Amino acid sequence: MLNTGQNLRPGSQLFSSVSESNHAKGKYYLGNQQDGNLVIYPAGTIDADSSYWSTGTSNRGLLLTLSLDPNGTLWMFDGNTSFTKTLFLTNQSSGAAPAVENYYCLTLDADGVLRLYSHVFLRLEGKPTIKVAWQVPGDRCLVKGVCGPNSFCQLTMTGETSCSCLPGFEFLSTNQSTLGCWRTLPISGCVRSNNSSNEETRMMATMVEVKNTTWPENPYDALPVTTSIEDCKLLCLSDCACQISMFSDSYCSKQMVPIRYGRISGSNNTLFVKVYTYRAIQRKKIAGAGAMLISGATLVVLSLVVLSGSVFLICRHKRSLRYMRAPQLYDCKVDGDIGLQSYSFQDLDVATNGFTQELGRGAYGTVFKGVLANISKEIAVKRLEKMAEEGEREFHREVRAIARTHHRNLLHLLGFCKESMCHLLGYDYMPNGSLANILFNSDVRPSWSKRVAIALDVARGLHYLHEEIQNPIIHCDIKPENILIDRSGIAKIADFGLAKLLIGNQTNTLTGIRGTRGYLAPEWSKNTAITVKVDVYSYGIMLLEIISCKRSMELKRAGSEYNISEWAYECVMFGETKKVADDACIEEAELVRMLKVGIWCTQNMPVMRPAMKSVVMMMEGSKEVRQPPRPASFSQS
């Protein structure tokens, strides 16, 4: 709350509360940015795509202070110039009745709306009259985050907000509709769209139309402007990755879920949502009454056999229960729909020839090369070490969560083994090794275009982990050693999900530093919660290493360790970018853009770092990269 006579200075923030009765930090904040812009964001974001109101005063070289005068005037001013901007000017006359007193306060309410309240006191009455003198935004559905992922906002007759799920989705919680929605039938990959009448059909995908809604675009593929609305629907239906297609003014784009910040509007946009349904099983009919009689008799006999077998197994099971340890009662069975293989220890021992060919060691364990002889497939087997005390069900649940993450830039988990104290994970084998080997241990420096492609691959993979799955995953150890290169030169992030598997709930980790020296975000050493922004920091350090082909920890100045982001900042400021990367074929504009992205990612404060979605857009050149502030020194000794 900003009271009369108070100022919100540059770099300061005003947070909403959770509710009127709970004054803890809520879902939204008003930030007075160092670029001179006053912006409202959902908590945890700073990228321009997530903001839903601003004063539009950025990039003028001003440091503006927000001030609320006792007379109710809300304005911004720069202490070094004569620049001012009035946001609200009260119409209260100077000759107001002496029996009336006005008191003003500016509040970012729990619903994300910024309101200027006028408290009118009559001196003969103790209770004030409270009015809203000014508010932004005017439409409460313009507040981003009022409804969760895969749902859209609409105003009721009373002016309240109401959230609705997209077709094929249902609320995460029936009691809290603002949390968003998830699919009623979780799907990954392709399903059959049709079959012959005599074959079993498990699922069918159809496109359901949603009109008069507005959504921010986050396409992974844009189709030619000549595409018709019907083609837009069919092209998404035939694409395994496409979950939603958006058509507007002859422009069609393909989207993945989750999709956010939707609202009812009068726009002419048309949304097509892929909806999955089960189909009834159809089988060939058996002709003739004789065949029916035979089938019935067969069923009776089979029933008796099954009943007898069941009684035998139950009796045997009761006798053996007292000899089994409780954890072993949970068998290594995994959902078949995610294609995860349950290996025995003997399977992997044979495949790796007794775990003899070591590929590398990391924070989570040792990796060995193996071959599955039955299918002649090369694999990499990671033997997990220093496991947290997890129950069988918890271990299997986390492994399934890792297996359900499918992305071009994530290392694919093939299967696992959990026997006694042994925890093994089987992955696709990456013949080209790690990014660390390519950057630091090779006689030939990789080309600039190849380095940019790898950096983009990793950024897209992190964007998926942070923002595109139902339960975001914080990697906690992004570094070149954990980026592997496949046969086609595509970069894949390894070891994702293992931090949570080994150390428990990572979203509220306040102690126990995880990661590698040189890539650790400052908040690891502070008493603050760990968020996805620790990965953004580590990525920024790694991006600068990719650009320079130099390790951050190897940079020295005056005999001491030198922060790579500070070095990059000085090179940009003094026009000496060729010191960072001296490749002759590099365009300087592209090099500067990449360096700025790395500097933004390594800002000391998590809130100043961009989301990975913005990182991808800036690196692709579809979003402007503003001049970053100087990164603060941070020692990881």
Side-chain angles (χ1 to χ4, degrees), residues 360-368 381-388 395 402 423-425 427 473-479 481-482 493-504 506 512-516 520 524 534-535:
R361 293 175 180 265
Y364 304 114
T366 307
V367 183
F368 302 89
V381 178
K382 179 177 283 290
R383 185 172 63 198
L384 299 179
E385 299 166 0
K386 300 179 181 179
M387 288 288 298
F395 176 80
I402 295 172
H423 301 75
L424 302 170
L425 299 177
Y427 292 96
I473 292 176
I474 307 175
H475 190 289
C476 296
D477 197 18
I478 291 294
K479 59 182 179 180
E481 286 77 5
N482 283 334
I493 301 173
D495 283 2
F496 61 91
L498 296 188
K500 186 174 182 180
L501 180 64
L502 300 184
I503 66 174
Q506 63 179 314
I513 293 178
R514 301 287 169 174
T516 302
L520 293 172
W524 278 113
V534 299
D535 286 349

Side-chain angles (χ1 to χ4, degrees), residues 66 81 152 209 213 298 392 418 432 442 448 547 579 627:
L66 177 67
T81 67
F152 54 90
E209 185 176 334
T213 58
T298 302
E392 288 292 305
K418 172 67 175 75
N432 287 326
S442 175
W448 172 251
I547 295 170
K579 286 185 177 181
Q627 182 67 35

Side-chain angles (χ1 to χ4, degrees), residues 103-123:
Y103 174 78
Y104 294 90
C105 68
L106 182 70
T107 304
L108 183 59
D109 288 329
D111 61 1
V113 177
L114 184 65
R115 294 183 177 93
L116 179 63
Y117 288 97
S118 170
H119 298 251
V120 181
F121 289 85
L122 298 177
R123 295 192 178 183

Side-chain angles (χ1 to χ4, degrees), residues 598-620:
I599 297 167
W600 271 115
C601 291
T602 53
Q603 291 296 306
N604 194 50
M605 296 177 59
V607 72
M608 294 292 289
R609 300 172 208 151
M612 288 309 302
K613 174 186 174 182
S614 293
V615 171
V616 172
M617 295 176 67
M618 288 188 290
M619 291 177 64
E620 290 175 337

Side-chain angles (χ1 to χ4, degrees), residues 324-376:
M324 297 177 66
R325 294 187 299 111
Q328 292 177 329
L329 293 176
Y330 184 71
D331 196 10
C332 297
K333 293 181 180 178
V334 186
D335 297 338
D337 62 334
I338 58 177
L340 188 64
Q341 179 68 42
S342 176
Y343 300 113
S344 69
F345 179 83
Q346 183 179 2
D347 291 337
L348 298 182
D349 184 52
V350 171
T352 59
N353 193 23
F355 301 93
T356 55
Q357 186 175 350
E358 182 178 317
L359 296 177
R361 293 175 180 265
Y364 304 114
T366 307
V367 183
F368 302 89
K369 184 179 179 181
V371 178
L372 296 175
N374 57 335
I375 56 175
S376 299

Side-chain angles (χ1 to χ4, degrees), residues 249-502:
D249 298 328
S250 299
Y251 174 79
C252 178
S253 62
K254 296 178 181 180
Q255 317 276 330
M256 293 182 180
V257 292
I259 188 169
R260 305 172 187 271
Y261 308 145
R263 60 185 176 88
I264 291 288
S265 68
S267 69
N268 61 351
N269 295 342
T270 300
L271 208 68
F272 291 106
V273 183
K274 189 178 286 185
V275 176
Y276 301 94
T277 54
Y278 280 109
R279 289 281 301 273
I281 299 175
Q282 298 180 343
R283 303 182 185 275
K284 293 182 179 179
K285 297 181 179 179
I286 302 176
M292 294 179 64
L293 182 60
I294 294 172
S295 300
T298 302
L299 286 174
V300 170
V301 174
L302 286 175
S303 299
L304 291 173
V305 172
V306 170
L307 179 61
S308 301
S310 300
V311 171
F312 171 75
L313 289 175
I314 290 172
C315 293
R316 182 179 179 183
H317 181 64
K318 286 183 176 179
R319 290 197 303 269
S320 63
L321 271 179
R322 62 180 175 270
Y323 301 110
M324 297 177 66
R325 294 187 299 111
Q328 292 177 329
L329 293 176
Y330 184 71
D331 196 10
C332 297
K333 293 181 180 178
V334 186
D335 297 338
D337 62 334
I338 58 177
L340 188 64
Q341 179 68 42
S342 176
Y343 300 113
S344 69
F345 179 83
Q346 183 179 2
D347 291 337
L348 298 182
D349 184 52
V350 171
T352 59
N353 193 23
F355 301 93
T356 55
Q357 186 175 350
E358 182 178 317
L359 296 177
R361 293 175 180 265
Y364 304 114
T366 307
V367 183
F368 302 89
K369 184 179 179 181
V371 178
L372 296 175
N374 57 335
I375 56 175
S376 299
K377 180 178 178 64
E378 291 183 314
I379 62 171
V381 178
K382 179 177 283 290
R383 185 172 63 198
L384 299 179
E385 299 166 0
K386 300 179 181 179
M387 288 288 298
E389 291 297 327
E390 294 280 358
E392 288 292 305
R393 293 183 183 274
E394 287 75 11
F395 176 80
H396 285 260
R397 184 177 62 247
E398 298 305 336
V399 168
R400 287 198 298 273
I402 295 172
R404 286 194 179 98
T405 54
H406 293 285
H407 191 273
R408 176 178 183 266
N409 301 120
L410 299 181
L411 184 62
H412 178 50
L413 177 64
L414 300 173
F416 74 103
C417 169
K418 172 67 175 75
E419 292 184 12
S420 185
M421 297 302 292
C422 184
H423 301 75
L424 302 170
L425 299 177
Y427 292 96
D428 282 330
Y429 174 65
M430 297 288 108
N432 287 326
S434 71
L435 175 60
N437 289 332
I438 293 175
L439 289 180
F440 311 126
N441 301 328
S442 175
D443 295 333
V444 180
R445 174 182 290 190
S447 68
W448 172 251
S449 60
K450 182 60 181 176
R451 277 141 57 199
V452 171
I454 290 174
L456 263 171
D457 281 346
V458 180
R460 289 170 180 144
L462 282 176
H463 173 221
Y464 174 84
L465 290 176
H466 290 179
E467 303 175 43
E468 293 190 340
I469 54 178
Q470 184 179 328
N471 297 312
I473 292 176
I474 307 175
H475 190 289
C476 296
D477 197 18
I478 291 294
K479 59 182 179 180
E481 286 77 5
N482 283 334
I483 309 302
L484 304 180
I485 312 299
D486 73 2
R487 296 182 189 277
S488 302
I490 297 172
K492 297 183 182 291
I493 301 173
D495 283 2
F496 61 91
L498 296 188
K500 186 174 182 180
L501 180 64
L502 300 184

